[in-house]
Amino acid sequence: MVKDELINRSPLRILEKLLNGGLGKGNIGVLASKKGIGKTAFLANIATDKLCSDKPVIHVSFYKRTDHIISRYEDIFNEISKEKNLQNAAEISEEITRNRVIMNFNQQGIDVPRILSSMEALITGGNFKADTVIIDGFKIKEAGEEGLKAIKKFAQKLGLEIWISASLRMEGPVFNDAGIPYEIENLVDDFIDVLLTLKYDNQKIQMDIVKGHDGFGGQHSSHLYLDPKTLLVAAE
Amino acid sequence: MSLEKKLRNIGISAHIDSGKTTLSERILFFCNKIHAIHEVRGKDGVGATMDSMELERERGITIASAATNVEWKGTPINLIDTPGHVDFTVEVERSLRVLDGAILVLCSVGGVQSQSITVDKQLKRYNVPRLAFVNKCDRTGANPYKVKDQLIEKLGLNAVLAQIPIGLEDKHIGVVDLVRMKAIYFDADGGLGVEEKDIPADLNSEAEKMRENLLDAISMFSDELAELFLEGGEIPEDIIHDALRKGVLARGIVPVFVGSAYKNKGVQPLLDAVVKYLPAPIDVDNFALDLDDNEKEVLLKSEPTLPTVILAFKLEDGQYGQLTYIRIYQGSIKKGDELYNVRTRKKFKVGRLIKMHSNNMEDISEAGCGDIVALFGIDCASGDTFVKPGLNYSLTSMFVPEPVISLAVEPVDKKAADNMAKALNRFAKEDPTFRSYVDEESNQTIIQGMGELHLDVYIERMKREYKAEVQTGAPQVAYRETISKRADFDYTHKKQTGGAGQYGKVVGFMEPLSEGIYEFVNDIKGGKIPTEYIPACDKGFRTATKKGPLIGFPIVGVKMTINDGQSHPVDSSDMAFQSAALGAFRQAYLKAGPEILEPVMKVTVEGPTEFQGNIFGSINQRRGIIVSSVEDGRSSQVEAEVPLSEMFGYSTVLRSLTQGKAEFTMEFLKYSKIPKTISEELMKKFQEKK
């Protein structure tokens, strides 16, 4: 298989269709689930898909080091190229890493303006033409309305698609009747354009579209899931 | 106890300015002094003390040799000088290789900086167990706790405090030993001895807490300790030492010691720790490559009676000729033994055998397993393996990376020219990645190496050690040419006008070779080209690869196949087929999608976050790819891949962009294809020069 096919046949095209063409520039997408279900893998899938279409990605993380994030990407790419029997995989892998920057913040209590100003330094100072931003491991609840508002403004100003992961509490009821996580209920209306959730369902990690561009559709199954072994996005 | 069980071969690795030299000096000083004191005491029975004046004078000792033998409380220690620069050099790699353990020195103010990361990576690559010493606790802003956290966060080490400081900055007066739960002060015997007291009351609870952490961390290395720890009972000291040692040897733990070498605080307990926790030669696995078995790895055993395997890791010009530093990995040697140099395939006899001390050298008659000693008057290069005749093991792979940068050097006068020749000859022997030659066209001497800093080091050494003043030209990147697709050739070399003619015809194809520089395949059937001329074809192709037609740099990654041809009974000759092959190569080359490759460096820049935009910008302007950035608190570290040709003068630029607050390191990463606009420019320049 060659690269173009890889993009065309990606199960993420299904998600794009369901979202009427994808998240879109200037918009915020949130992927919410409990810890350890596969948010990072899902977002890295989205990022890898973008990278394969030559769209630069900034991956923001909040760990101590960056090497395991890089190897996460490598794993996903290797799985994809193995599964799809990709030709000249090594070359494409090198090509896509050119378009990816990992920005890692490991100070305690970093605030949103600090993150955005570093990103802006990279985009304008470093002339990095980012298309998509992945913000993983971010404390969305703590950032609150103020924080999300700033991120939204930033996305619009620089024409970025921004995906944010949200870790949900492990105990007690997590989702309301509309499938919206209680913890971010107050943010969904004004600042989140697309809300996806991941849930364990019968040995599978099922992805639901809770909010799309058309508004709330309830727990609308996307027929997409995460293969628990390879952590690749797959379609039913 | 035999030598291989008690010896320590250690190195001190550090970021510049973290006090490596001072610490090394203090180690030599204390080892010598303690030795001397014991001797004096033994003779007259009266304790000797020194005043601080004498102490100052004694401080003049510096490590001038590659390995210095000292003794600490009966344990022999070889202190190996690890080069301070972190540019990729074989020299650095080799000195790391002979270490069994290391002290990673960090500044208590600066903490883990980009260079500390580089040296730690080198230690990791060679799997060297290490202790950390947080130095300069007397400095304003000292915070060893923070540095310990950085060791965990930035280097991913399982660092745990084995001591805590008593007072910091100008109040730093001693340390608390968390194993023995004692306060240690360093004022006894006029600053030479150590004094143990009870822990100051205000540090008691802190010490208890940190001891808990320490015990918790090492409990996984000792079941005995884990049990006692859980029961909450008294834990005997030797069980703690034992668990710590196991943890260090397994590279599972890095105990952190604190002090100030400059103020003589904490050096003696650090030496105790070297003896207690770092490995002896017998505790470390070393491998050789069996050259009779396709470079297969064989485990060497630190046993004095087994056949000898030795690495020559450093050459030095001494007063009396060449001194070769060796490490004995297996077996032992005596004066008069016969050894075999695996590279040159020559046997030689062990003549003078030397042990280097900090202030003198000692002639010895034999050296045991694991030891580091020096040989006089052996003709060899550094990196050579010496074995007992009969073995064919090599300790280093025969692979040497090609240099990526070159520089023209011009001696200022006749004397400098003589000295320069001597120096170049020596450096090339010491370091296979350093080369020099005289360019036929310009008649200039060109030196080649692995980076700007690498060559700077040698130019500095020429001046300092060989008194060779030289002027240098602009550094030149070692580009390469290669091909991107298969192309056929069908070439006839013919000169048959009068006299002896020349005739040769070669047919075949060239194709890209993904690994390696050049390969030749003879696929001729039915003697179309007589066997005797095949080597000439190979030679012709090789000649063609020396200078590529695009920009005159060597061609790499080509596989040449010949499958047809023709010869003439009278006019064919070696010469004719060489010319034919050369012509065929040139014919096919331009059809094979020729490309220019350039060396790309892995660059790490570290500086205050407010300059991040400038740092990103400077990398972008240099055609660099930003791989990642890591921010913590006020500083940010940017990792990037940048072509070497764009990195000249970067330190100056970076300094002015960041008010001198950022620093960078780089090492060779790979060869990559050059963008079209730049390759066109290079080709234009090459054509003009022609």
Side-chain angles (χ1 to χ4, degrees):
Chain A
M1 191 182 266
V2 292
K3 204 172 104 185
D4 286 347
E5 266 177 274
L6 188 73
I7 302 159
N8 294 335
R9 291 204 199 158
S10 165
L12 288 170
R13 294 292 83 73
I14 298 172
L15 177 66
E16 228 168 61
K17 228 178 191 170
L18 292 169
L19 293 175
N20 305 331
L23 179 57
K25 289 188 188 303
N27 292 330
I28 308 276
V30 170
L31 177 68
S33 82
K34 290 185 184 179
K35 255 189 204 142
I37 290 200
K39 288 186 296 296
T40 305
F42 198 100
L43 291 179
N45 266 259
I46 291 181
T48 304
D49 182 62
K50 291 280 182 191
L51 290 167
C52 285
S53 334
D54 299 322
K55 290 181 177 152
V57 173
I58 300 177
H59 182 113
V60 177
S61 63
F62 304 89
Y63 296 97
K64 298 293 178 202
R65 285 149 66 210
T66 56
D67 39 0
H68 73 281
I69 306 167
I70 293 174
S71 55
R72 197 65 177 268
Y73 272 89
E74 278 166 6
D75 289 348
I76 286 195
F77 183 79
N78 288 342
E79 286 292 346
I80 294 176
S81 58
K82 213 165 68 194
E83 194 181 275
K84 309 283 180 191
N85 202 2
L86 189 66
Q87 289 169 17
N88 49 3
E91 212 171 286
I92 297 174
S93 161
E94 200 180 316
E95 215 175 281
I96 67 174
T97 46
R98 293 188 78 93
N99 280 325
R100 184 197 66 211
V101 174
I102 314 270
M103 293 197 94
N104 195 46
F105 300 86
N106 64 19
Q107 59 262 59
Q108 298 255 303
I110 173 115
D111 56 0
V112 172
R114 180 70 257 155
I115 299 169
L116 297 181
S117 96
S118 286
M119 246 195 282
E120 197 165 353
L122 175 67
I123 294 170
T124 53
N127 197 20
F128 185 79
K129 297 183 177 60
D131 173 276
T132 300
V133 173
I134 305 284
I135 304 180
D136 189 29
F138 179 58
K139 297 207 169 73
I140 195 167
K141 214 179 108 200
E142 284 170 28
E145 289 188 22
E146 196 88 347
L148 269 192
K149 202 169 151 185
I151 296 175
K152 173 90 182 160
K153 221 173 122 191
F154 186 74
Q156 284 167 342
K157 187 172 97 182
L158 293 167
L160 302 166
E161 273 190 49
I162 300 187
W163 285 98
I164 305 174
S165 72
S167 256
L168 304 176
R169 62 181 170 220
M170 299 302 278
E171 295 184 3
V174 177
F175 301 103
N176 71 13
D177 294 341
I180 299 168
Y182 287 114
E183 287 162 275
I184 53 172
E185 246 178 331
N186 59 327
L187 303 170
V188 171
D189 281 334
D190 297 331
F191 308 111
I192 299 176
D193 301 287
V194 168
L195 175 62
L196 311 178
T197 57
L198 290 179
K199 285 177 199 156
Y200 258 125
D201 182 29
N202 205 6
Q203 310 270 317
K204 265 188 192 166
I205 301 163
Q206 178 68 43
M207 197 205 82
D208 294 329
I209 300 174
V210 181
K211 183 185 176 186
H213 292 303
D214 315 329
F216 297 90
Q219 297 185 52
H220 182 84
S221 171
S222 63
H223 301 287
L224 286 177
Y225 66 95
L226 212 54
D227 184 324
K229 225 164 61 202
T230 60
L231 289 180
L232 291 187
V233 178
E236 262 165 18
Chain B
M1 210 187 331
S2 51
L3 188 69
E4 68 275 11
K5 289 184 188 142
K6 66 175 189 182
L7 176 69
R8 299 289 180 275
N9 290 317
I10 62 159
I12 300 176
S13 282
H15 183 272
I16 292 172
D17 285 342
S18 50
K20 179 176 131 174
T21 312
T22 314
L23 179 64
S24 309
E25 280 174 12
R26 292 302 188 275
I27 289 178
L28 295 188
F29 173 76
F30 281 114
C31 288
N32 276 334
K33 225 54 248 172
I34 297 300
H35 208 59
I37 285 171
H38 283 307
E39 278 174 11
V40 172
R41 277 187 174 151
K43 265 183 209 154
D44 56 17
V46 185
T49 53
M50 296 184 81
D51 62 26
S52 61
M53 272 295 287
E54 276 177 273
L55 211 153
E56 278 303 326
R57 219 174 301 142
E58 290 288 340
R59 270 180 197 156
I61 319 159
T62 52
I63 309 183
S65 54
T68 308
N69 183 261
V70 295
E71 198 173 301
W72 179 249
K73 297 182 181 169
T75 300
I77 299 174
N78 286 316
L79 197 60
I80 295 132
D81 183 33
T82 50
H85 51 95
V86 289
D87 224 16
F88 172 83
T89 63
V90 167
E91 200 193 353
V92 177
E93 309 278 314
R94 225 174 259 141
S95 65
L96 284 169
R97 168 156 195 176
V98 299
L99 305 177
D100 292 324
I103 303 171
L104 183 63
V105 187
L106 300 133
C107 169
S108 74
V109 184
V112 173
Q113 288 154 291
S114 64
Q115 225 175 39
S116 327
I117 297 174
T118 314
V119 294
D120 188 67
K121 256 187 217 150
Q122 289 170 335
L123 293 176
K124 272 192 192 127
R125 186 163 44 195
Y126 284 88
N127 234 333
V128 182
R130 47 208 175 284
L131 313 175
F133 181 65
V134 181
N135 195 15
K136 299 194 180 179
C137 283
D138 58 319
R139 284 281 192 91
T140 312
N143 186 353
Y145 296 95
K146 183 192 79 188
V147 180
K148 189 262 302 175
D149 289 341
Q150 288 179 344
L151 285 170
I152 298 171
E153 290 162 10
K154 289 193 174 179
L155 301 182
L157 299 175
N158 187 12
V160 58
L161 288 168
Q163 295 175 338
I164 57 171
I166 303 176
L168 282 171
E169 304 184 344
D170 53 351
K171 295 190 184 63
H172 179 57
I173 50 170
V175 301
V176 174
D177 178 336
L178 296 174
V179 176
R180 314 187 51 220
M181 288 306 265
K182 285 282 178 198
I184 305 175
Y185 299 96
F186 304 92
D187 296 323
D189 279 347
L192 291 176
V194 294
E195 204 176 353
E196 254 183 31
K197 288 185 184 165
D198 286 335
I199 299 172
D202 59 330
L203 276 177
N204 255 328
S205 67
E206 174 73 7
E208 281 297 342
K209 199 176 101 194
M210 289 300 153
R211 180 183 159 93
E212 287 277 294
N213 286 351
L214 173 68
L215 295 178
D216 186 31
I218 59 174
S219 61
M220 62 183 292
F221 299 101
S222 158
D223 293 341
E224 208 178 350
L225 188 142
E227 249 168 59
L228 289 169
F229 184 55
L230 284 177
E231 285 165 11
E234 194 72 9
I235 305 177
E237 212 182 292
D238 50 336
I239 291 185
I240 304 180
H241 288 314
D242 192 49
L244 246 171
R245 181 173 160 82
K246 274 190 195 145
V248 171
L249 294 196
R251 287 96 179 153
I253 208 154
V254 175
V256 180
F257 298 84
V258 296
S260 161
Y262 181 65
K263 293 277 168 73
N264 290 328
K265 305 276 183 276
V267 180
Q268 300 95 322
L270 181 66
L271 280 164
D272 289 340
V274 164
V275 172
K276 279 196 197 98
Y277 310 132
L278 288 180
I282 201 161
D283 300 315
V284 180
D285 282 347
N286 284 296
F287 294 90
L289 306 170
D290 188 349
L291 298 182
D292 290 337
D293 192 4
N294 212 1
E295 297 208 351
K296 198 175 139 196
E297 281 194 343
V298 257
L299 180 67
L300 298 174
K301 286 192 186 125
S302 293
E303 274 175 37
T305 49
L306 285 173
T308 307
V309 179
I310 286 172
L311 176 72
F313 67 95
K314 173 97 199 219
L315 308 181
E316 230 173 56
D317 256 340
Q319 253 172 298
Y320 313 103
Q322 180 175 300
L323 204 52
T324 306
Y325 284 89
I326 58 168
R327 159 144 188 182
I328 304 163
Y329 280 98
Q330 180 174 289
S332 51
I333 52 168
K334 282 196 300 288
K335 256 170 107 163
D337 273 357
E338 192 170 66
L339 290 174
Y340 173 73
N341 184 333
V342 178
R343 184 182 57 92
T344 60
R345 301 172 183 222
K346 280 187 186 139
K347 284 184 192 165
F348 65 91
K349 269 218 160 74
V350 176
R352 260 182 93 186
L353 206 54
I354 300 288
K355 180 149 249 188
M356 300 299 290
H357 301 287
S358 60
N359 40 13
N360 66 313
M361 55 166 100
E362 178 195 355
D363 271 278
I364 49 175
S365 57
E366 57 188 336
C369 196
D371 210 355
I372 291 175
V373 294
L375 298 172
F376 254 124
I378 303 296
D379 184 28
C380 66
S382 102
D384 281 0
T385 305
F386 305 149
V387 293
K388 187 184 174 189
L391 280 187
N392 198 15
Y393 287 175
S394 176
L395 284 160
T396 47
S397 172
M398 296 299 171
F399 174 74
V400 175
E402 288 290 311
V404 293
I405 185 175
S406 62
L407 195 66
V409 287
E410 189 95 45
V412 292
D413 53 29
K414 174 79 178 62
K415 192 160 171 273
D418 290 348
N419 290 342
M420 184 180 89
K422 259 186 234 158
L424 293 180
N425 190 11
R426 154 72 33 180
F427 299 156
K429 261 191 178 179
E430 279 178 15
D431 178 354
T433 60
F434 177 87
R435 294 173 200 180
S436 75
Y437 68 95
V438 176
D439 185 65
E440 283 169 18
E441 284 159 28
S442 64
N443 213 17
Q444 277 178 315
T445 303
I446 311 288
I447 60 174
Q448 295 178 303
M450 298 312 295
E452 215 177 354
L453 187 57
H454 184 205
L455 294 185
D456 279 353
V457 167
Y458 283 116
I459 289 166
E460 229 356 83
R461 282 186 62 191
M462 268 194 243
K463 290 181 184 160
R464 223 180 38 234
E465 291 170 30
Y466 292 85
K467 310 252 175 304
E469 274 304 320
V470 294
Q471 279 170 344
T472 54
Q476 169 78 61
V477 170
Y479 294 103
R480 294 283 180 269
E481 295 187 18
T482 192
I483 54 168
S484 57
K485 58 184 187 209
R486 184 190 140 129
D488 295 332
F489 55 80
D490 178 343
Y491 189 86
T492 311
H493 175 75
K494 193 156 97 175
K495 265 192 189 149
Q496 290 171 310
T497 45
Q502 288 186 33
Y503 184 88
K505 178 179 174 178
V506 289
V507 180
F509 58 91
M510 69 165 55
E511 61 189 329
L513 182 66
S514 57
E515 260 170 59
I517 294 171
Y518 168 84
E519 215 176 285
F520 174 70
V521 178
N522 171 19
D523 210 8
I524 299 275
K525 292 192 179 77
K528 287 279 183 61
I529 298 175
T531 325
E532 64 207 88
Y533 297 134
I534 300 295
C537 296
D538 183 15
K539 202 171 165 202
F541 292 142
R542 278 180 197 272
T543 309
T545 62
K546 289 208 174 113
K547 242 179 179 169
L550 299 186
I551 54 166
F553 277 89
I555 298 167
V556 298
V558 280
K559 184 173 165 187
M560 303 300 297
T561 306
I562 48 170
N563 51 26
D564 201 359
Q566 210 169 12
S567 66
H568 186 278
V570 181
D571 291 345
S572 281
S573 64
D574 260 13
M575 270 310 290
F577 271 100
Q578 268 190 48
S579 300
L582 194 68
F585 191 97
R586 291 193 177 142
Q587 182 194 51
Y589 188 71
L590 294 175
K591 293 189 290 183
E595 287 172 344
I596 301 172
L597 301 176
E598 63 179 345
V600 173
M601 311 300 277
K602 181 174 167 190
V603 177
T604 307
V605 191
E606 187 173 327
T609 307
E610 66 257 38
F611 298 114
Q612 221 181 176
N614 290 351
I615 295 172
F616 286 140
S618 68
I619 289 166
N620 181 261
Q621 278 164 14
R622 288 176 168 66
R623 294 195 281 123
I625 304 167
I626 297 155
V627 177
S628 69
S629 82
V630 176
E631 255 180 59
D632 73 298
R634 278 164 299 134
S635 85
S636 119
Q637 185 187 315
V638 179
E639 209 163 277
E641 296 174 6
V642 190
L644 174 62
S645 60
E646 306 283 339
M647 287 302 290
F648 295 134
Y650 185 59
S651 52
T652 320
V653 173
L654 187 66
R655 225 175 291 137
S656 74
L657 281 177
T658 60
Q659 298 168 11
K661 287 178 184 153
E663 53 180 55
F664 82 101
T665 55
M666 65 174 181
E667 60 183 276
F668 172 69
L669 180 69
K670 61 180 178 191
Y671 267 100
S672 276
K673 210 173 105 182
I674 215 164
K676 209 166 167 221
T677 47
I678 297 184
S679 67
E680 276 166 5
E681 215 172 285
L682 286 172
M683 287 192 290
K684 212 175 116 197
K685 266 194 204 146
F686 178 66
Q687 291 304 330
E688 280 165 7
K689 237 173 69 184
K690 261 181 159 178

